[in-house]
């Protein structure tokens, strides 16, 4: 069992930056990929970014590519999402997720094993 806890959410102005963190605990020694999803009110949850256990492979949703950067520090058991040039449409509840193994296509479809409780990100215009 893996527990995921997000932090770093908040209110920012358009064009600003924010970094989300996701602390993992439990069976963190298991080979697993990690990533982020987001869900805005009245909309379905959507994939944001994912990263392999080694950090070698990453995947991004087209809408955030070039603005967001996903990374992880396995020594600290922590996942990060650096968000730059934020736009109002980035406003959503951001969820950390983990999957046994890593496969970009499966992660994009929400095929994950563990979920965090979410962190709210609000971008004002």
């Amino acid at each position: 069992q893996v527990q995921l806890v997000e932090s770093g959410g908040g209110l920012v102005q358009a064009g600003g930056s924010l970094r989300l963190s996701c602390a993992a605990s439990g069976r963190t020694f298991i080979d697993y990929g990690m990533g982020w999803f987001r869900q805005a009110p009245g909309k379905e949850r959507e994939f944001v970014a994912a990263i392999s256990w080694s950090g070698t492979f990453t995947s991004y949703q087209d809408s955030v590519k070039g603005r967001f950067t996903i990374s992880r520090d396995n020594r600290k058991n922590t996942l990060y999402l650096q968000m730059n040039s934020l736009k109002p449409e980035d406003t959503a509840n951001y969820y950390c997720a983990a999957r046994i193994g890593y496969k970009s296509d499966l992660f994009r479809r929400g095929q994950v094993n563990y979920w965090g409780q979410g962190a709210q990100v609000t971008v004002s215009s």
Side-chain angles (χ1 to χ4, degrees), residues 15-35:
S17 299
L18 195 66
R19 188 180 75 161
L20 298 179
S21 297
C22 173
S25 62
R27 304 293 296 277
T28 55
F29 58 88
I30 297 176
D31 179 29
Y32 61 94
M34 297 186 73

Side-chain angles (χ1 to χ4, degrees), residues 23-78:
S25 62
R27 304 293 296 277
T28 55
F29 58 88
I30 297 176
D31 179 29
Y32 61 94
M34 297 186 73
W36 297 91
F37 292 80
R38 66 185 182 185
Q39 185 172 25
K43 299 183 67 177
E44 294 295 318
R45 181 182 63 205
E46 67 174 355
F47 168 79
V48 177
I51 187 170
S52 63
W53 185 86
S54 66
T56 301
F57 303 100
T58 58
S59 181
Y60 296 92
Q61 186 63 254
D62 289 342
S63 64
V64 306
K65 193 172 184 178
R67 299 188 297 120
F68 291 9
T69 301
I70 188 170
S71 63
R72 64 191 296 171
D73 186 340
N74 291 338
R75 294 181 179 83
K76 297 181 179 179
N77 295 319
T78 303

Side-chain angles (χ1 to χ4, degrees), residues 57-112:
F57 303 100
T58 58
S59 181
Y60 296 92
Q61 186 63 254
D62 289 342
S63 64
V64 306
K65 193 172 184 178
R67 299 188 297 120
F68 291 9
T69 301
I70 188 170
S71 63
R72 64 191 296 171
D73 186 340
N74 291 338
R75 294 181 179 83
K76 297 181 179 179
N77 295 319
T78 303
L79 173 74
Y80 303 98
L81 183 66
Q82 179 65 47
M83 304 181 290
N84 298 326
S85 301
L86 284 164
K87 304 175 180 179
E89 50 263 43
D90 293 319
T91 295
N93 197 3
Y94 284 70
Y95 296 90
C96 175
R99 180 184 186 278
I100 299 174
Y102 176 77
K103 181 64 173 65
S104 177
D105 291 345
L106 296 179
F107 216 114
R108 282 176 170 269
R109 298 202 300 266
Q111 295 294 109
V112 300

